[in-house]
Amino acid sequence: MSDWKKDNLRFLLNKLGGYPDNFQILDLGVGKDPFSEATVRFKNVVKMDILPYDAVNLVGDFNKGIPFKNNHFDCVLVNNVLEHCSTPPQLLREINRVLKPGGVLIGTVPFIIQIHQEPHDYFRYTEYCLRNLFKDAGFKDCSINNLGHSLSIYNNFQGLFFWKLLNSPLNIFEKTLIKIIWKGQRILIKLMGKIYQKCLQDDILVQGYGFVVEK
Ligand SMILES: C[S@@+](CC[C@H](N)C(=O)[O-])C[C@H]1O[C@@H](n2cnc3c(N)ncnc32)[C@H](O)[C@@H]1O
């Protein structure tokens, strides 16, 4: 699991931890359900996606509406989904509609991360944009946490860089050299990680955000 996914899982376990097992949850854009550990104890989880992955129990396009009545769910999850929605204000209003009063929207969005799921990758949001979107969709309170930091961003991009090199038409000598350099980089990152803990407070980079928004 990548650093980003580990941070997502930690955030979700923490935020869902206090809710009762009979909470009605809608997991929108659940995909392959990588954070199932955070929802497994809940009895009523609708897992919706436009693609019929194994974990999905409702196949549907959220751009065409969420097929539930008003005030139905205690919680809607949108993990790594808002960047793939071409009309986020419309989706957020629809989520607000299906949430009970006092219900919560919980989710994550990446910020400094590679383009993925092309061509359906439309946005990167700042914290301030998210706050405006939630407010305009009719939500009351929102709390937003930074997820990831300079070192996880560095780690992610160096991994992508070396992976790209190793999958390029290089000769065996060049590939062996790249593998040795990559291994050295990984050791360096491990060492830097220990030192880096001291600098986390003043970090200027964020890999993405986790949010809890109340209707
Ligand atoms: C980046 S993946 C995130 C999957 C999972 N939630 C996670 O955090 O790893 C985005 C998911 O949203 C789904 N998705 C994209 N557009 C959708 C739509 N219009 N309706 C329903 N699901 C959609 C995709 O099929 C994909 O599984």
Side-chain angles (χ1 to χ4, degrees):
M1 204 186 244
S2 64
D3 289 347
W4 170 246
K5 295 257 169 178
K6 280 183 202 157
D7 282 337
N8 275 235
L9 180 60
R10 217 173 292 127
F11 174 80
L12 293 169
L13 284 168
N14 177 261
K15 297 301 173 189
L16 286 168
Y19 294 121
D21 295 357
N22 62 355
F23 229 40
Q24 295 266 0
I25 296 181
L26 169 64
D27 196 336
L28 267 188
V30 65
K32 294 180 183 164
D33 203 8
F35 312 123
S36 58
E37 195 184 328
T39 55
V40 69
R41 75 181 170 86
F42 295 99
K43 294 184 184 80
N44 304 303
V45 186
V46 176
K47 300 183 178 189
M48 179 171 168
D49 204 287
I50 199 165
L51 297 175
Y53 293 108
D54 284 352
V56 172
N57 54 22
L58 175 63
V59 176
D61 178 355
F62 52 55
N63 291 320
K64 294 186 177 154
I66 300 172
F68 288 91
K69 61 181 172 52
N70 296 352
N71 309 323
H72 186 84
F73 291 100
D74 297 295
C75 173
V76 176
L77 299 175
V78 279
N79 300 312
N80 303 293
V81 164
L82 290 182
E83 75 272 23
H84 299 290
C85 175
S86 55
T87 53
Q90 181 189 311
L91 177 62
L92 288 170
R93 277 196 302 275
E94 184 63 358
I95 291 172
N96 187 284
R97 182 186 69 75
V98 297
L99 273 174
K100 293 176 186 170
V104 282
L105 166 64
I106 298 179
T108 58
V109 271
F111 182 55
I112 303 180
I113 205 154
Q114 66 276 20
I115 301 287
H116 54 286
Q117 301 216 327
E118 295 100 319
H120 304 292
D121 192 354
Y122 305 115
F123 297 104
R124 294 293 177 270
Y125 303 90
T126 63
E127 173 189 343
Y128 312 104
C129 176
L130 288 171
R131 286 187 193 282
N132 287 345
L133 282 170
F134 296 142
K135 188 162 167 254
D136 292 349
F139 288 95
K140 273 197 287 204
D141 293 323
C142 91
S143 81
I144 300 185
N145 289 53
N146 288 354
L147 296 182
H149 43 67
S150 304
L151 192 62
S152 49
I153 294 165
Y154 180 72
N155 200 8
N156 179 38
F157 284 113
Q158 72 94 15
L160 288 171
F161 175 71
F162 281 103
W163 184 87
K164 175 84 187 135
L165 280 181
L166 284 176
N167 285 281
S168 306
L170 302 176
N171 63 40
I172 186 85
F173 171 74
E174 290 164 328
K175 283 197 178 179
T176 308
L177 189 63
I178 296 297
K179 278 184 192 164
I180 293 168
I181 297 172
W182 191 4
K183 191 152 192 167
Q185 282 275 352
R186 286 209 297 268
I187 294 169
L188 204 64
I189 283 178
K190 254 200 173 144
L191 291 174
M192 276 162 60
K194 293 199 194 318
I195 301 166
Y196 187 74
Q197 297 302 323
K198 296 180 190 166
C199 319
L200 277 175
Q201 298 281 344
D202 305 320
D203 204 341
I204 49 161
L205 295 179
V206 59
Q207 198 168 18
Y209 301 99
F211 47 82
V212 180
V213 194
E214 197 183 317
K215 175 169 173 182

